[in-house]
């Protein structure tokens, strides 16, 4: 079970340097769009998984895609904001990420309590 929870972070950590290189060779817009689509697909596979192996692979794919989303997003901020406000913009983006990480489980729990388990 620990491997399952760690798989997303391990894949994110391993893929982040690759995502950064790919983002710098293409464009932040392309990286952000493609990685968001990839994250959506990985999440769909995760939701429809029926075996532990499928869950593990989907969670790893979510980690790789989320690394690419982060690289693309921060690159886009760096490209579109002048140097004097760039740090504040990146700080605001990181605050939004932290807020989402804090509120996501709460909202998910409330939705589960309200809607129940998928049948």
């Amino acid at each position: 079970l620990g491997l399952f929870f760690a798989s997303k972070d391990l894949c994110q950590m391993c893929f982040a340097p690759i995502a950064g290189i790919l983002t710098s060779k293409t464009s932040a817009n392309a990286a952000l769009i493609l990685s968001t689509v990839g994250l959506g697909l990985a999440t769909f596979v995760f939701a429809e998984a029926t075996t532990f192996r499928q869950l593990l692979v989907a969670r790893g794919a979510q980690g790789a895609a989320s690394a690419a989303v982060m690289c693309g997003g921060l690159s886009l901020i760096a490209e579109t904001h002048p140097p004097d406000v760039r740090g504040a913009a990146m700080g605001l983006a990181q605050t939004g990420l932290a807020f989402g990480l804090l509120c996501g489980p709460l909202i998910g729990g409330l939705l589960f309590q309200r809607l129940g388990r998928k049948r």
Side-chain angles (χ1 to χ4, degrees), residues 24-111:
S24 66
K25 291 191 183 292
T26 59
S27 73
N29 286 336
L32 194 56
I33 290 169
L34 290 174
S35 58
T36 302
V37 169
L39 185 57
L41 290 173
T43 302
F44 176 77
V45 170
F46 184 83
E48 297 297 320
T50 56
T51 67
F52 180 75
R53 183 182 171 111
Q54 290 172 346
L55 285 171
L56 194 62
V57 169
R59 193 70 177 141
Q62 285 178 325
S66 67
V69 167
M70 184 60 79
C71 289
L74 291 177
S75 293
L76 189 61
I77 290 171
E79 289 176 4
T80 58
H81 289 76
D84 58 324
V85 296
R86 191 174 296 149
M90 287 189 178
L92 184 61
Q94 295 293 350
T95 301
L97 175 67
F99 186 73
L101 289 171
L102 287 171
C103 294
L106 173 65
I107 294 169
L110 291 172
L111 286 171

